[in-house]
Amino acid sequence: MNNNFQRDIDLGLSAQNKTLPSKYFYDEIGDALFVEIMKMPEYYLTKAEFDIFKNKSQELIKVLKLNPSTFFELVELGAGDGTKTKQLLKALDDQNYNFEYMPIDISKNALKHLKASVNAELPTVRITPKQGDYFNVLADLKQSEHPIVVLFLGSNIGNLPDERAKEFIQKLSDNLKVGDRVLLGVDLIKSESIVLPAYNDAQGITKRFNLNLLTRINKELDANFDLNSFTHQPEYIEQEGIARSFLVSTKDQTVAIRSLNKTFTFAKNEKIQTETSRKYNDYIMKGILGESSLKIIDRLTDSQNLFADYILENGH
Ligand code: AVJ
């Protein structure tokens, strides 16, 4: 990881338009800050998807075409804290559906915490965490004849540029059998007045989350970024439906990254892009599904129409 980290930071900061990959937000501090972001009143995404899972669990079960007597694997990509998923697990468990819940994550620690909380709250739900790469675990599961329902929630796919998202969908469908289903949660395109505050909460948690990337580079690559000389700047273009986060240099400055034996110069007002958060509509979703065999069979939204859970089925 550290070698990749070092290489990716070097590449991103050496480019004409500087970038840093958003996947590196999530060290221990970043994980905790993201939990705080989800509690911010401006961050509507988590609340909206929770609304669907809490108030439309019966509809979810229906559109996923689940059968109480046919065993299935409920696979979740990314462990999270399970707040949303537990609503669905509870509804399935109450109605005696025959299934096993299988969260997949790279982090052993995240899986350990999730298993403990599911065991405590829903002791009759079978949970088998799988540590590893999403696609390796799915490739293993493809060997079994049980139907699979994949959950990929939280608009996590939105961090991928459209071309990468398309590749992700293609790989996902390659690792599923005919008839397997996917529940893909995405944020919907809406006005700037709602989206921008979600990435610029009044308490400044998102700002700390963004700046933590520089703290992480300082710690792990022995660098000397001055956190007071960069500001957090989110932008959103409603016509394209993409929110982007930047760190902006507030002055002409030079930063040394000792583990790279290099210095990087930043002009006053120069931007480093740290994140892309794509928003969707049916047209964009269809474009991303592209030539893959995953097809939209339904879509549920929250009561305010902020967020959508697309139900996809894998064809031939
Ligand atoms: C977890 C990728 C869905 O893009 O909204 C939250 C991460 N970044 N605030 C998003 C995030 C800044 C989030 N996702």
Side-chain angles (χ1 to χ4, degrees), residues 78-106:
D81 65 357
T83 309
K84 291 170 279 193
T85 309
K86 276 182 220 157
Q87 299 292 321
L88 178 63
L89 295 177
K90 184 173 188 328
L92 290 169
D93 194 40
D94 286 347
Q95 295 164 70
N96 291 309
Y97 278 82
N98 186 10
F99 70 102
E100 180 173 38
Y101 173 45
M102 212 176 267
I104 308 176
D105 206 283
I106 283 291

Short mmCIF file of all heavy atoms in Angstrom, two decimals, residues 78-106:
data_model
loop_
_atom_site.label_atom_id
_atom_site.label_comp_id
_atom_site.label_asym_id
_atom_site.label_seq_id
_atom_site.Cartn_x
_atom_site.Cartn_y
_atom_site.Cartn_z
N GLY A 78 -18.22 -3.39 0.47
CA GLY A 78 -17.89 -2.34 1.45
C GLY A 78 -18.69 -2.58 2.71
O GLY A 78 -19.90 -2.75 2.65
N ALA A 79 -18.03 -2.63 3.84
CA ALA A 79 -18.73 -3.02 5.07
C ALA A 79 -19.52 -1.87 5.69
O ALA A 79 -20.66 -2.03 6.09
CB ALA A 79 -17.73 -3.58 6.08
N GLY A 80 -18.97 -0.71 5.73
CA GLY A 80 -19.66 0.41 6.38
C GLY A 80 -20.03 0.06 7.81
O GLY A 80 -19.46 -0.86 8.40
N ASP A 81 -21.00 0.78 8.36
CA ASP A 81 -21.41 0.45 9.73
C ASP A 81 -22.74 -0.31 9.72
O ASP A 81 -23.27 -0.65 10.77
CB ASP A 81 -21.48 1.71 10.61
CG ASP A 81 -22.58 2.67 10.15
OD1 ASP A 81 -23.23 2.39 9.11
OD2 ASP A 81 -22.78 3.70 10.81
N GLY A 82 -23.28 -0.59 8.52
CA GLY A 82 -24.45 -1.46 8.41
C GLY A 82 -25.77 -0.82 8.81
O GLY A 82 -26.79 -1.51 8.81
N THR A 83 -25.76 0.48 9.12
CA THR A 83 -27.00 1.12 9.59
C THR A 83 -28.16 0.92 8.60
O THR A 83 -29.26 0.59 9.01
CB THR A 83 -26.77 2.63 9.82
OG1 THR A 83 -25.61 2.77 10.63
CG2 THR A 83 -27.93 3.27 10.52
N LYS A 84 -27.88 1.14 7.31
CA LYS A 84 -28.94 0.99 6.31
C LYS A 84 -29.27 -0.48 6.10
O LYS A 84 -30.44 -0.88 6.13
CB LYS A 84 -28.49 1.62 4.98
CG LYS A 84 -28.38 3.13 5.06
CD LYS A 84 -27.71 3.73 3.84
CE LYS A 84 -26.20 3.64 3.91
NZ LYS A 84 -25.52 4.48 2.90
N THR A 85 -28.23 -1.28 5.89
CA THR A 85 -28.44 -2.69 5.57
C THR A 85 -29.21 -3.42 6.67
O THR A 85 -30.04 -4.29 6.39
CB THR A 85 -27.08 -3.37 5.34
OG1 THR A 85 -26.35 -2.58 4.41
CG2 THR A 85 -27.25 -4.77 4.79
N LYS A 86 -28.96 -3.05 7.94
CA LYS A 86 -29.65 -3.73 9.05
C LYS A 86 -31.16 -3.61 8.96
O LYS A 86 -31.88 -4.50 9.41
CB LYS A 86 -29.16 -3.18 10.39
CG LYS A 86 -27.86 -3.81 10.87
CD LYS A 86 -27.50 -3.24 12.22
CE LYS A 86 -26.02 -2.99 12.33
NZ LYS A 86 -25.70 -1.98 13.35
N GLN A 87 -31.65 -2.51 8.37
CA GLN A 87 -33.09 -2.34 8.19
C GLN A 87 -33.64 -3.43 7.27
O GLN A 87 -34.70 -4.01 7.52
CB GLN A 87 -33.41 -0.97 7.60
CG GLN A 87 -32.98 0.20 8.46
CD GLN A 87 -33.76 0.30 9.75
OE1 GLN A 87 -34.97 0.07 9.77
NE2 GLN A 87 -33.09 0.63 10.83
N LEU A 88 -32.90 -3.70 6.19
CA LEU A 88 -33.32 -4.75 5.25
C LEU A 88 -33.15 -6.13 5.88
O LEU A 88 -34.03 -6.99 5.75
CB LEU A 88 -32.49 -4.63 3.96
CG LEU A 88 -32.76 -5.68 2.88
CD1 LEU A 88 -34.19 -5.59 2.36
CD2 LEU A 88 -31.77 -5.51 1.71
N LEU A 89 -32.04 -6.32 6.59
CA LEU A 89 -31.80 -7.63 7.24
C LEU A 89 -32.92 -7.95 8.21
O LEU A 89 -33.41 -9.08 8.27
CB LEU A 89 -30.46 -7.60 8.01
CG LEU A 89 -29.18 -7.44 7.19
CD1 LEU A 89 -27.97 -7.35 8.13
CD2 LEU A 89 -29.00 -8.59 6.21
N LYS A 90 -33.35 -6.93 8.95
CA LYS A 90 -34.41 -7.14 9.95
C LYS A 90 -35.72 -7.54 9.26
O LYS A 90 -36.38 -8.49 9.69
CB LYS A 90 -34.61 -5.87 10.77
CG LYS A 90 -35.63 -6.05 11.88
CD LYS A 90 -35.71 -4.87 12.80
CE LYS A 90 -36.60 -5.14 14.01
NZ LYS A 90 -37.72 -6.05 13.77
N ALA A 91 -36.07 -6.84 8.18
CA ALA A 91 -37.31 -7.17 7.47
C ALA A 91 -37.25 -8.59 6.91
O ALA A 91 -38.22 -9.36 7.02
CB ALA A 91 -37.54 -6.16 6.34
N LEU A 92 -36.11 -8.97 6.34
CA LEU A 92 -35.96 -10.32 5.79
C LEU A 92 -36.03 -11.37 6.88
O LEU A 92 -36.69 -12.41 6.74
CB LEU A 92 -34.61 -10.44 5.05
CG LEU A 92 -34.46 -9.66 3.74
CD1 LEU A 92 -33.00 -9.66 3.30
CD2 LEU A 92 -35.35 -10.26 2.65
N ASP A 93 -35.37 -11.08 7.99
CA ASP A 93 -35.32 -12.02 9.12
C ASP A 93 -36.71 -12.20 9.75
O ASP A 93 -37.12 -13.33 10.04
CB ASP A 93 -34.32 -11.47 10.15
CG ASP A 93 -33.93 -12.51 11.19
OD1 ASP A 93 -33.75 -13.68 10.80
OD2 ASP A 93 -33.82 -12.14 12.36
N ASP A 94 -37.43 -11.09 9.91
CA ASP A 94 -38.78 -11.15 10.49
C ASP A 94 -39.70 -12.04 9.66
O ASP A 94 -40.62 -12.64 10.18
CB ASP A 94 -39.40 -9.75 10.54
CG ASP A 94 -38.79 -8.90 11.65
OD1 ASP A 94 -38.09 -9.48 12.50
OD2 ASP A 94 -39.00 -7.67 11.65
N GLN A 95 -39.44 -12.07 8.35
CA GLN A 95 -40.31 -12.84 7.46
C GLN A 95 -39.70 -14.19 7.07
O GLN A 95 -40.12 -14.83 6.11
CB GLN A 95 -40.62 -12.02 6.21
CG GLN A 95 -41.44 -10.77 6.55
CD GLN A 95 -41.43 -9.76 5.42
OE1 GLN A 95 -42.03 -9.97 4.37
NE2 GLN A 95 -40.72 -8.66 5.62
N ASN A 96 -38.69 -14.58 7.85
CA ASN A 96 -38.07 -15.90 7.69
C ASN A 96 -37.48 -16.18 6.31
O ASN A 96 -37.56 -17.31 5.82
CB ASN A 96 -39.08 -17.01 8.05
CG ASN A 96 -39.37 -17.00 9.53
OD1 ASN A 96 -38.45 -16.99 10.35
ND2 ASN A 96 -40.65 -16.96 9.87
N TYR A 97 -36.95 -15.17 5.68
CA TYR A 97 -36.23 -15.41 4.43
C TYR A 97 -34.99 -16.24 4.73
O TYR A 97 -34.41 -16.14 5.81
CB TYR A 97 -35.86 -14.10 3.74
CG TYR A 97 -37.00 -13.52 2.93
CD1 TYR A 97 -37.99 -12.77 3.56
CD2 TYR A 97 -37.10 -13.76 1.56
CE1 TYR A 97 -39.06 -12.26 2.82
CE2 TYR A 97 -38.15 -13.26 0.83
CZ TYR A 97 -39.12 -12.51 1.45
OH TYR A 97 -40.17 -12.01 0.73
N ASN A 98 -34.61 -17.06 3.75
CA ASN A 98 -33.51 -18.00 3.92
C ASN A 98 -32.28 -17.45 3.19
O ASN A 98 -32.17 -17.57 1.97
CB ASN A 98 -33.97 -19.34 3.32
CG ASN A 98 -32.96 -20.44 3.56
OD1 ASN A 98 -32.00 -20.28 4.33
ND2 ASN A 98 -33.15 -21.56 2.88
N PHE A 99 -31.40 -16.79 3.97
CA PHE A 99 -30.28 -16.11 3.32
C PHE A 99 -29.08 -16.02 4.26
O PHE A 99 -29.18 -16.27 5.46
CB PHE A 99 -30.69 -14.69 2.90
CG PHE A 99 -30.91 -13.75 4.06
CD1 PHE A 99 -29.93 -12.81 4.40
CD2 PHE A 99 -32.06 -13.82 4.84
CE1 PHE A 99 -30.11 -11.96 5.47
CE2 PHE A 99 -32.24 -12.96 5.93
CZ PHE A 99 -31.27 -12.03 6.24
N GLU A 100 -27.97 -15.67 3.66
CA GLU A 100 -26.75 -15.42 4.41
C GLU A 100 -26.24 -14.04 4.00
O GLU A 100 -26.22 -13.71 2.81
CB GLU A 100 -25.73 -16.48 4.06
CG GLU A 100 -24.41 -16.35 4.76
CD GLU A 100 -23.52 -17.56 4.48
OE1 GLU A 100 -23.56 -18.03 3.33
OE2 GLU A 100 -22.82 -18.00 5.38
N TYR A 101 -25.88 -13.23 4.97
CA TYR A 101 -25.37 -11.88 4.69
C TYR A 101 -23.85 -11.92 4.64
O TYR A 101 -23.20 -12.39 5.58
CB TYR A 101 -25.85 -10.93 5.79
CG TYR A 101 -25.26 -9.53 5.74
CD1 TYR A 101 -25.17 -8.81 4.55
CD2 TYR A 101 -24.82 -8.91 6.92
CE1 TYR A 101 -24.64 -7.53 4.52
CE2 TYR A 101 -24.29 -7.62 6.89
CZ TYR A 101 -24.21 -6.94 5.69
OH TYR A 101 -23.68 -5.67 5.66
N MET A 102 -23.30 -11.45 3.53
CA MET A 102 -21.86 -11.56 3.30
C MET A 102 -21.25 -10.19 2.96
O MET A 102 -21.17 -9.83 1.79
CB MET A 102 -21.64 -12.54 2.15
CG MET A 102 -20.39 -13.33 2.22
SD MET A 102 -20.34 -14.50 0.86
CE MET A 102 -21.06 -15.94 1.62
N PRO A 103 -20.86 -9.41 3.96
CA PRO A 103 -20.18 -8.15 3.65
C PRO A 103 -18.74 -8.41 3.23
O PRO A 103 -18.05 -9.24 3.82
CB PRO A 103 -20.23 -7.39 4.99
CG PRO A 103 -20.36 -8.45 6.04
CD PRO A 103 -21.03 -9.64 5.40
N ILE A 104 -18.32 -7.72 2.17
CA ILE A 104 -16.94 -7.85 1.69
C ILE A 104 -16.23 -6.52 1.92
O ILE A 104 -16.76 -5.47 1.58
CB ILE A 104 -16.88 -8.15 0.17
CG1 ILE A 104 -17.75 -9.35 -0.19
CG2 ILE A 104 -15.44 -8.37 -0.27
CD1 ILE A 104 -17.78 -9.61 -1.71
N ASP A 105 -15.04 -6.60 2.49
CA ASP A 105 -14.27 -5.37 2.67
C ASP A 105 -12.79 -5.70 2.72
O ASP A 105 -12.40 -6.81 3.06
CB ASP A 105 -14.69 -4.66 3.96
CG ASP A 105 -14.43 -3.15 3.90
OD1 ASP A 105 -13.26 -2.74 4.06
OD2 ASP A 105 -15.39 -2.40 3.69
N ILE A 106 -11.97 -4.73 2.38
CA ILE A 106 -10.52 -4.88 2.50
C ILE A 106 -10.12 -4.84 3.98
O ILE A 106 -9.15 -5.49 4.39
CB ILE A 106 -9.82 -3.74 1.72
CG1 ILE A 106 -9.86 -4.03 0.21
CG2 ILE A 106 -8.39 -3.50 2.17
CD1 ILE A 106 -9.00 -5.21 -0.24
#
